[in-house]
Amino acid sequence: MPSRTAAPFTLGILLVPGFSVLGLAALIEPLRLANHVADRTLFAWRTLSPDGAPVVSSSGFAVGVDGAGDPDAALDGLVLCAGADAEAPGAPFAELIAASARRGALVAGIDGGAEGLAAAGHLADRPVPVHWRRREHFALCRPDLAASDGLFDLSDTRASSAGGMAVVDLALALIQRQAGRDVAVSVCDELLHQRPREAGEPQRPGAASPAQHHDPRTAHVIAVMRAAIGTPRPIHAFAAEVGLSSRQLERLFLRDLGCSPGAVFLDMRLDRARDLLAGTDQPIACVARDCGFVSQSHFSKAFRDRFGLSPGEARQPSRPPRPSWRVHAATAEPV
């Protein structure tokens, strides 16, 4: 734990047009509260843009910054703060990030900023936490990178977060590393946040995730189902994985989850289909096939029964496509 006279850990927060205001607040507020509960300045921060001009957020209003980014600034870390539909950071952003990386500073990305860092080659050997709604699109565009369904990732020189409240958990992990768990837990209490979540915890456990007190065979079958979403399998095949008959597995699921194994598997496949429709431009027939439906008509009926709208309506055609990332020597530009 740092002494009371230790210099604060100083972050530059580089705002990308279209950045998430929630992400910015979710990073800064825990750090501010850490200073408060510790009664000393553990953290300092400056909001930046490449030219010092205000930056327009995803909410549509301009946010003033503390100054322009400086490649020679003595910062302990630089955070790329972007939103789900932010512009791809171009050369001025890439140069500032590269300068921080060369100095060995912590280079971080939150929300869409994590994907930007990955595209620029700064997370090549790290898992990339990607928001669940964008993960399929990211995996299709960047098969060379390891998209993660975890909340965040933190090493000595790299950090990233999937966005939303997962940014709070990344901030808490940084607080714990700099000041100890007691300070991080106290910040949780101030935020009415139940606990500091671990990096690899799932972003949305979902109704099909069995509680810890449930039979471990239920958890095992759930995991097998998730791995088999694109391959239709009869219930007796899942039951055989844990040495049960189909009827025994039915009873086990009804007891632990309140629904049948078939209903759980169908919900998983439909949830994946919804993510693919929202996050990719795959044809509906391909989405149906990739989610284990033998016919598009069966898929469409099941989808409407579950979500109350057709697969075509779920595609949200009025929403502009999110840019893919293409990396050049010193910049990342949208395709």
Side-chain angles (χ1 to χ4, degrees), residues 177-197:
R177 190 171 77 178
Q178 295 297 118
R181 184 169 178 82
D182 287 348
V183 174
V185 170
S186 295
V187 171
C188 275
D189 291 341
E190 293 287 335
L191 290 170
L192 306 182
H193 195 60
Q194 188 176 26
R195 61 181 174 83
R197 293 183 292 176

Side-chain angles (χ1 to χ4, degrees), residues 157-335:
T157 58
R158 297 292 182 270
S160 54
S161 170
M165 296 310 294
V167 181
V168 172
D169 295 290
L170 173 60
L172 289 169
L174 185 59
I175 291 166
Q176 181 168 328
R177 190 171 77 178
Q178 295 297 118
R181 184 169 178 82
D182 287 348
V183 174
V185 170
S186 295
V187 171
C188 275
D189 291 341
E190 293 287 335
L191 290 170
L192 306 182
H193 195 60
Q194 188 176 26
R195 61 181 174 83
R197 293 183 292 176
E198 298 297 324
E201 291 190 39
Q203 295 171 20
R204 48 170 190 161
S209 297
Q212 291 182 354
H213 64 274
H214 289 160
D215 193 302
R217 293 173 295 183
T218 305
H220 181 77
V221 172
I222 291 287
V224 173
M225 286 179 170
R226 287 201 178 105
I229 280 176
T231 308
R233 295 180 64 180
I235 297 304
H236 67 76
F238 295 122
E241 292 279 347
V242 289
L244 297 176
S245 68
S246 296
R247 182 168 294 183
Q248 288 171 323
L249 186 64
E250 292 272 354
R251 288 198 295 264
L252 183 65
F253 267 56
L254 286 172
R255 186 194 72 191
D256 281 358
L257 300 176
C259 55
S260 70
V264 170
F265 191 41
L266 177 60
D267 281 353
M268 283 185 185
R269 292 156 60 207
L270 290 169
D271 284 345
R272 172 66 66 81
R274 180 184 58 185
D275 294 350
L276 286 171
L277 290 168
T280 78
D281 57 1
Q282 288 190 63
I284 291 174
C286 293
V287 171
R289 181 199 62 213
D290 290 349
C291 295
F293 291 91
V294 295
S295 75
Q296 188 170 335
S297 60
H298 177 215
F299 167 60
S300 295
K301 182 181 185 305
F303 194 94
R304 184 178 289 278
D305 288 346
R306 174 79 191 284
F307 300 116
L309 70 169
S310 71
E313 291 167 336
R315 172 134 273 166
Q316 298 178 326
S318 61
R319 180 175 177 175
R322 191 169 185 272
S324 302
W325 297 87
R326 178 177 61 207
V327 181
H328 297 286
T331 183
E333 298 176 351
V335 174

Side-chain angles (χ1 to χ4, degrees), residues 114-128:
E115 297 158 57
L117 288 187
H122 293 289
L123 299 179
D125 58 345
R126 305 295 306 177
V128 185

